[in-house]
Amino acid sequence: PVPATAPVDPDRKSDRRKQLANVLTKRLETIAGGGRPRRDAQPPSSPLPVHDPTTDRDSVVRSLAKTLELVSHTTGARDHAKHLIDEARGAEARGNLTAAASAMRLAHRWRPRDESLLRDAERLQAAAVAEKVAVYEKRARYAEENKLWADAALSWSKVADGLPDAPEPARKAARMLLEAGGDIHAAVRYARRASRQEPRRASTQRLLAQVYVAAGKPLSAKTALEASLVIEPGNAQANDLLREIG
């Protein structure tokens, strides 16, 4: 697992951070010690409101202290992000794409303005999903060929979830769930998706109708069957199912 944060090595602090911190610290010390203005400073040409020097000094001290804290936090964020990016690259090299995507997303949280990190995370996540989908699809086809409906339904559902724009996995998931007597609400969801993605495929419209019948939605089933008959007029299966629905 990739740690959300990693200890920051003081030796790795950037020279810029040290220099800026030193400058700010010296300014804090000067102001806190009551530093005086330059002797050659000229008085203003017009009267200005009189300010309490102690109040002004305290205000500047607080402002500089806040800036110093921000510099420290920002540099720490860079260190955290760099560590996570290194972790992501290493995980990708080892073939652990899921871990690589997770690490890159965490790095983006530390550097939210770096859109390249988000793009890398999305690329790695897509590659991880594609890798898993290939395994699940192989299992799904084996289970379907051997009429292991429950196993086929589970595997095709995972493929459909991994490939939301592909109609075949959604269609297969709906049919396998119907065959297995599984989650009918999930079957309706997959069948609807497939129907939207391939509206001119009559068999998909008939499948949607069958799922609607199993879900107790005869009116929706009738609409799907009528749509299928527009594509394939006179289809016996569609007409038989229409008669059964009444």
Side-chain angles (χ1 to χ4, degrees):
V2 178
T5 59
V8 180
D9 184 358
D11 295 331
R12 295 173 59 194
K13 293 179 180 178
S14 67
D15 292 337
R16 184 177 178 184
R17 177 188 175 189
K18 291 179 181 178
Q19 291 171 3
L20 185 54
N22 287 335
V23 170
L24 292 173
T25 302
K26 287 179 181 178
R27 290 184 65 186
L28 282 170
E29 291 173 350
T30 301
I31 295 170
R36 299 185 178 282
R38 292 173 51 184
R39 292 183 179 180
D40 58 350
Q42 298 297 320
S45 57
S46 58
L48 293 174
V50 177
H51 297 287
D52 182 351
T54 303
T55 303
D56 287 345
R57 186 165 58 248
D58 290 345
S59 175
V60 175
V61 168
R62 286 194 298 271
S63 177
L64 287 174
K66 186 175 181 180
T67 302
L68 183 60
E69 181 182 358
L70 180 60
V71 168
S72 175
H73 175 74
T74 302
T75 307
R78 289 197 190 101
D79 290 342
H80 284 305
K82 184 178 184 307
H83 174 82
L84 288 163
I85 291 168
D86 290 343
E87 287 285 341
R89 298 301 182 216
E92 182 179 10
R94 294 189 299 271
N96 191 343
L97 299 176
T98 300
S102 178
M104 198 62 77
R105 284 192 182 280
L106 287 173
H108 180 253
R109 289 180 62 185
W110 283 101
R111 294 187 192 172
R113 294 184 180 180
D114 191 343
E115 293 300 322
S116 67
L117 297 180
L118 182 58
R119 288 194 295 272
D120 268 352
E122 291 173 346
R123 173 185 63 81
L124 289 165
Q125 184 62 36
V129 168
E131 187 177 61
K132 289 180 179 178
V133 160
V135 174
Y136 286 128
E137 183 173 353
K138 186 176 180 180
R139 293 178 184 173
R141 293 192 186 281
Y142 174 83
E144 183 180 356
E145 288 173 4
N146 290 275
K147 299 184 178 181
L148 303 172
W149 306 127
D151 290 344
L154 177 62
S155 294
W156 276 120
S157 295
K158 290 182 180 296
V159 176
D161 293 342
L163 299 174
D165 297 326
E168 184 195 22
R171 180 174 8 100
K172 293 277 192 179
R175 185 169 296 284
M176 296 304 103
L177 284 165
L178 194 61
E179 293 284 356
D183 185 346
I184 194 61
H185 298 293
V188 168
R189 186 173 67 252
Y190 289 126
R192 281 176 176 169
R193 187 206 297 178
S195 174
R196 288 193 302 269
Q197 292 172 332
E198 42 187 16
R200 298 297 301 170
R201 189 183 180 107
S203 60
T204 299
Q205 305 308 319
R206 289 195 297 271
L207 170 64
L208 178 61
Q210 291 173 316
V211 171
Y212 275 140
V213 169
K217 298 177 180 293
L219 293 179
S220 296
K222 184 177 180 180
T223 300
L225 287 169
E226 289 171 349
S228 76
L229 286 169
V230 170
I231 303 166
E232 286 185 4
N235 181 274
Q237 184 184 14
N239 284 319
D240 288 345
L241 194 52
L242 270 175
R243 282 193 291 271
E244 289 178 19
I245 294 173

